[in-house]
Amino acid sequence: MTAPLNPPPPPHGRPGYDPWQLPEGADPDHPRGTERDEPLGREIRRAALTGLAVVVVGLLLGFLWSRLAPHVPLVSDGEAVYLKDTEGEQAIGADGTFALLALGFGAVTGLAAFLVHRAGGIAMVCGLALGSLGGAVVAWQLGMALGPSGDVVGHARSAGQGVTFDAPLELGALGVLVAWPIAALLVHLGLTALFGPREEPRVHHWQTYEG
């Protein structure tokens, strides 16, 4: 009995084929078809810098709010301080002005964060959210500081009896502070979903062979 001159071909028509062997040059930790993950430290640092930049922008919002918000007129009779216009809506207008400005700032900062980094991720979302909330708080405090004096009694005495003066600039509804982060996150997440980088489907190494 003699052995065949031509041995049967190996499986799948490839000599020395190993179905569990990775393709040449492939990284076992990063299979082909997937992008290498960005180092976590760099991602956190980038998110922190984004949040800090947004907080600084809150200074501009506070300045604009102090200049654009309607002021509440007060008047003193020498013994007490009263609202000059008891049916006025200036206090509501101050809240509304802050909310509208915050929504605009949120849309701009969300767009800027996407254009600069072109990436999403939990770290970036958290940095943008915390930075926006911090910027809103900074704007609130700065606007009150730049607005009319908070010493109503002293202001009334210096103005004199029967003379109208402005009440301190305040927020009646602190809920408007979240207008900025909400707008920023909606814009950023929407742009990321529409125009952000797409992750390629995972390709297993055994799918690279035909047979």
Side-chain angles (χ1 to χ4, degrees):
M1 182 176 181
T2 59
L5 296 178
N6 296 322
H12 298 276
R14 296 175 60 92
Y17 172 77
D18 183 357
W20 302 105
Q21 182 179 2
L22 291 176
E24 183 179 357
D27 188 342
D29 296 327
H30 299 276
R32 190 173 63 180
T34 59
E35 299 180 353
R36 293 179 179 269
D37 294 334
E38 185 178 10
L40 181 60
R42 183 186 303 174
E43 185 179 355
I44 294 177
R45 183 167 58 252
R46 185 179 62 184
L49 291 176
T50 300
L52 181 60
V54 174
V55 170
V56 174
V57 175
L59 298 174
L60 178 59
L61 173 57
F63 174 78
L64 292 176
W65 181 50
S66 67
R67 294 296 180 267
L68 299 178
H71 294 171
V72 179
L74 301 177
V75 65
S76 172
D77 60 0
E79 296 181 358
V81 177
Y82 304 94
L83 288 171
K84 183 177 181 180
D85 184 5
T86 56
E87 298 182 357
E89 298 181 352
Q90 291 86 350
I92 299 177
D95 289 2
T97 301
F98 187 95
L100 291 176
L101 289 173
L103 290 174
F105 272 66
V108 171
T109 51
L111 173 61
F114 174 77
L115 293 178
V116 171
H117 301 294
R118 293 282 181 173
I122 296 178
M124 177 58 65
V125 170
C126 291
L128 184 59
L130 294 177
S132 300
L133 184 59
V137 173
V138 168
W140 169 38
Q141 296 297 320
L142 180 63
M144 291 193 303
L146 295 178
S149 173
D151 184 7
V152 177
V153 175
H155 201 173
R157 289 175 179 173
S158 62
Q161 182 176 352
V163 178
T164 302
F165 61 96
D166 292 329
L169 183 60
E170 296 177 343
L171 279 180
L174 296 182
V176 298
L177 293 175
V178 301
W180 187 344
I182 288 176
L185 291 180
L186 288 178
V187 171
H188 184 266
L189 293 176
L191 292 175
T192 302
L194 292 175
F195 307 107
R198 297 289 189 270
E199 182 178 354
E200 297 181 6
R202 192 180 202 75
V203 178
H204 299 286
H205 65 273
W206 60 79
Q207 295 176 336
T208 59
Y209 301 107
E210 296 180 359

